[in-house]
Amino acid sequence: KKLKILTPVRVIAMGFALIIFVGAFLLSLPIAHNDMQWFPFIDALFTSTSAVCVTGLIVVDTAAHFNLFGQMVILLLIQIGGLGVMTATTLLFLMMRKRITLKNRLMLQEALSEDRLQGIVKSIKLILILTFSIEIIGALVLMCSFIPAYGGYGVWVSIFISISAFCNAGFDILGVVGGHQFGSLTGFAQNAFVCLPIMALIIIGGIGFMVLIDVGDRVLRKKKRLSAHTQMVLIITGILILFGWVAFMATEWNGVLKDMSVGGKILAALFQSVTPRTAGFESVSQAALTPVSYMLTLILMFIGASPSSTGGGVKTTTLAVLMLTGIKTLQGERDVNLGKSKINPNLIKRAITIIMLAILIIMINTILILIFEGNNHNQYASVENVLFEVTSAFSTVGLTMGITPKLCVGSKLILGLTMFIGRVGTLTIGFSIAKRKKINDKIEYTDAKILIG
C-alpha cells in the first residue's frame, strides 16, 4: 500500500517540500545573517520557498541581510530547485556510485516530462554537464564586468548571478555594492556586458534541457532534423521575445526609458522582454511601467518558459497547442495537425487543464491576499499590485511591485504556496491529490447535449 501511495508525482512534490523546510531551518539560524540574530521562521520559509522554486520574490535584501553562509545556502537551494529534486538526487547517487533503480527512473521520467524510459540516466548526465558548463562560462563572462567594479567580491557576485540567471531564479547580491537595497540590475540597465550575458543565461535555461540536448545532437552529431517539440519551443520563444521587445520600446520609449540613451533604451526594452520569462531580474522599476507594459509583462509572466526547463509559467508549448487547436477549430478541421503529425487529444486536454487551473489558482489567491491585506489596511495592496505579485509567484518569475516585504503573515503563506504550486506544476499537484479512476475503454457513451459559445 505504501508503494502505491508514493507515486512518482507525490514523491516529487514531497521532495520539493522537504528541501524547502530544510532550507528554511538553515536560513533561520543566526549564523546565516549579518546581524547574527535569529530570523523569523515565516520569513525564512518564504525565502527558502522562493529559492527552491527559483522565483526570486524576497522579504529582505539578500546581500544586506544574509552573510556568506546564508548566501551559499540560498544559492544551493536555487541550484537544487533549478535542476529539480530528482535530477539533484541522481547527481548525489552518481557521486556515491549508487545504482539508479527502476523506481528512480520512473520518477526522473515524470520530472523531465519524458515519454520514454530508455536513456533517461544518460539524459540526466548530459543535463548536469550542460548545466555546470553553462553556469561556469556565464560566471567567467560576468567576471569581466564585476571584478573591475567590485574587486575580489566580483568573483562571488559573478558565480551567484550566473547560477541564479541560468536557473531563472532572479536572486542577486548587489543590494549593498549597488548602493541601494532591492535594486536588482537597475544600476546596469545600459551595460550590455552585464545584461546580454544574463539574458543569454535566462533564455538558455528557459528553453528546456530536452531542447538543449536536441540542438546539441543536431550540431555535434549532424542529426537530420530537430524534433517537433524543439522546433515549436524555439519558434514560440523567438516570437515572444521579439514581440515583447518591440512592444516595450513602443510603449516605454518616453516612459520608464526616457532618461536613457538610444542604445540603452533598446537594451533595456530587450531585457524587459526576456526577464518575464520567469527570470525575475529587473533593469527598470516594474512599478513605473505604463498600463500597457504592465499588461504585457503580466501576459509574458503567465506564459513563462518551456517544459523541462528551470522556468515556470503555463509553458510556451501549452500556449502553442491551444492556439493551434483554436485555429483548426475555426477552420472546421476534426484533428489538430502539426505538419505531417497529429497532436494527441490527451495532450490538448492537458493543455486546457493547465490553463484552467492556472487561472483559477491566480484568481483565488489574489482574492485571498486582498482579503488579508484589506483587513490589515495595507495601502500598497491594490488589485493591480496583488495580481502582479501572485502571477509572478505562480509563474516563478520574481518580478515585483515592491509589496512583498509589506505583506502580512497570511499573505506570505499564500504567496509561498503559489510559488510551490507553480514550480512543482499544477498537473503534478493535481495528480498527487486526485484519486485516479480506472478507465474502461470498451464502454463508449452517447454525446451529451450541451450548448456552448
Side-chain angles (χ1 to χ4, degrees):
K1 285 185 178 178
K2 289 182 179 179
L3 289 175
K4 288 182 179 179
I5 290 172
L6 292 176
T7 58
V9 290
R10 287 176 181 168
V11 171
I12 291 169
M14 290 167 60
F16 270 103
L18 179 62
I19 296 296
I20 286 170
F21 278 100
V22 171
F25 170 73
L26 293 174
L27 292 176
S28 66
L29 299 174
I31 59 171
H33 304 274
N34 290 321
D35 58 7
M36 298 301 289
Q37 299 292 320
W38 283 92
F39 195 46
F41 186 75
I42 183 64
D43 289 337
L45 181 63
F46 187 93
T47 304
S48 180
T49 304
S50 184
V52 175
C53 298
V54 289
T55 304
L57 291 175
I58 52 176
V59 291
V60 294
D61 186 87
T62 307
H65 203 90
F66 293 97
N67 58 23
L68 181 61
F69 174 76
Q71 292 172 18
M72 289 177 69
V73 170
I74 290 173
L75 194 62
L76 179 61
L77 295 174
I78 289 171
Q79 188 71 87
I80 293 172
L83 286 172
V85 172
M86 290 310 304
T87 306
T89 304
T90 304
L91 171 62
L92 186 62
F93 281 0
L94 292 172
M95 291 173 64
M96 296 171 63
R97 298 186 182 279
K98 291 272 188 179
R99 180 173 169 270
I100 310 298
T101 65
L102 177 60
K103 187 177 180 181
N104 298 140
R105 293 169 192 265
L106 288 170
M107 292 176 185
L108 289 169
Q109 181 188 22
E110 183 67 34
L112 294 176
S113 303
E114 274 278 36
D115 56 0
R116 56 189 175 86
L117 272 177
Q118 186 180 4
I120 195 74
V121 176
K122 183 181 178 182
S123 296
I124 292 295
K125 290 179 180 178
L126 282 172
I127 287 170
L128 293 171
I129 293 169
L130 280 169
T131 297
F132 297 135
S133 299
I134 293 167
E135 288 173 349
I136 290 170
I137 293 170
L140 291 173
V141 173
L142 289 172
M143 284 179 195
C144 298
S145 297
F146 287 132
I147 290 179
Y150 307 125
Y153 183 70
V155 175
W156 176 235
V157 171
S158 301
I159 294 170
F160 192 100
I161 291 182
S162 177
I163 294 173
S164 181
F166 178 76
C167 292
N168 278 227
F171 278 83
D172 69 86
I173 48 174
L174 297 170
V176 175
V177 295
H180 58 284
Q181 297 182 25
F182 303 104
S184 192
L185 295 173
T186 51
F188 301 92
Q190 301 184 71
N191 189 330
F193 296 103
V194 171
C195 290
L196 288 177
I198 291 176
M199 281 190 280
L201 288 166
I202 292 168
I203 294 169
I204 293 170
I207 60 176
F209 294 117
M210 296 300 105
V211 172
L212 291 177
I213 292 172
D214 194 27
V215 171
D217 286 342
R218 174 71 175 83
V219 175
L220 299 176
R221 299 182 183 180
K222 305 299 180 182
K223 182 181 170 183
K224 289 186 177 180
R225 57 179 300 176
L226 298 172
S227 67
H229 169 78
T230 298
Q231 293 181 53
M232 181 179 286
V233 166
L234 294 177
I235 291 170
I236 295 297
T237 299
I239 290 172
L240 289 174
I241 291 174
L242 183 61
F243 172 74
W245 186 16
V246 173
F248 282 122
M249 278 196 294
T251 56
E252 297 294 345
W253 192 267
N254 294 315
V256 74
L257 307 176
K258 65 180 179 180
D259 295 327
M260 298 182 183
S261 64
V262 173
K265 290 180 179 182
I266 294 171
L267 181 65
L270 178 60
F271 195 91
Q272 182 62 26
S273 177
V274 171
T275 195
R277 313 304 309 287
T278 83
F281 294 103
E282 61 177 38
S283 61
V284 296
S285 172
Q286 303 303 297
L289 295 176
T290 62
V292 176
S293 296
Y294 166 89
M295 284 301 302
L296 181 59
T297 303
L298 210 63
I299 293 168
L300 291 176
M301 287 196 301
F302 183 77
I303 296 168
S306 302
S308 74
S309 71
T310 59
V314 296
K315 304 294 190 295
T316 52
T317 49
T318 305
L319 172 69
V321 167
L322 285 184
M323 288 180 66
L324 282 171
T325 303
I327 292 170
K328 297 299 181 182
T329 300
L330 293 174
Q331 291 177 341
E333 295 189 23
R334 184 185 62 181
D335 297 324
V336 180
N337 298 321
L338 184 62
K340 295 182 179 180
S341 302
K342 183 179 76 171
I343 296 178
N344 192 305
N346 287 330
L347 197 65
I348 297 173
K349 289 179 184 178
R350 288 171 72 97
I352 294 170
T353 304
I354 289 170
I355 296 291
M356 179 194 71
L357 289 175
I359 294 173
L360 194 63
I361 290 166
I362 290 172
M363 286 175 58
I364 291 173
N365 289 354
T366 299
I367 292 170
L368 288 174
I369 291 178
L370 286 171
I371 292 171
F372 278 122
E373 298 306 314
N375 291 336
N376 287 292
H377 307 290
N378 187 341
Q379 60 178 333
Y380 301 100
S382 64
V383 176
E384 293 84 359
N385 287 349
V386 173
L387 177 61
F388 191 95
E389 222 78 0
V390 172
T391 305
S392 179
F394 175 80
S395 298
T396 69
V397 179
L399 291 177
T400 177
M401 290 291 180
I403 68 169
T404 298
K406 304 178 179 71
L407 297 177
C408 67
V409 172
S411 297
K412 288 178 183 176
L413 288 173
I414 292 170
L415 213 56
L417 180 62
T418 307
M419 288 188 283
F420 180 77
I421 294 172
R423 180 64 184 105
V424 177
T426 51
L427 287 183
T428 301
I429 295 292
F431 288 149
S432 64
I433 296 173
K435 184 178 180 181
R436 304 299 296 273
K437 292 184 178 180
K438 292 183 179 180
I439 300 172
N440 189 342
D441 293 330
K442 295 180 180 179
I443 300 175
E444 187 171 341
Y445 298 98
T446 57
D447 294 338
K449 305 299 181 182
I450 299 174
L451 301 177
I452 62 171

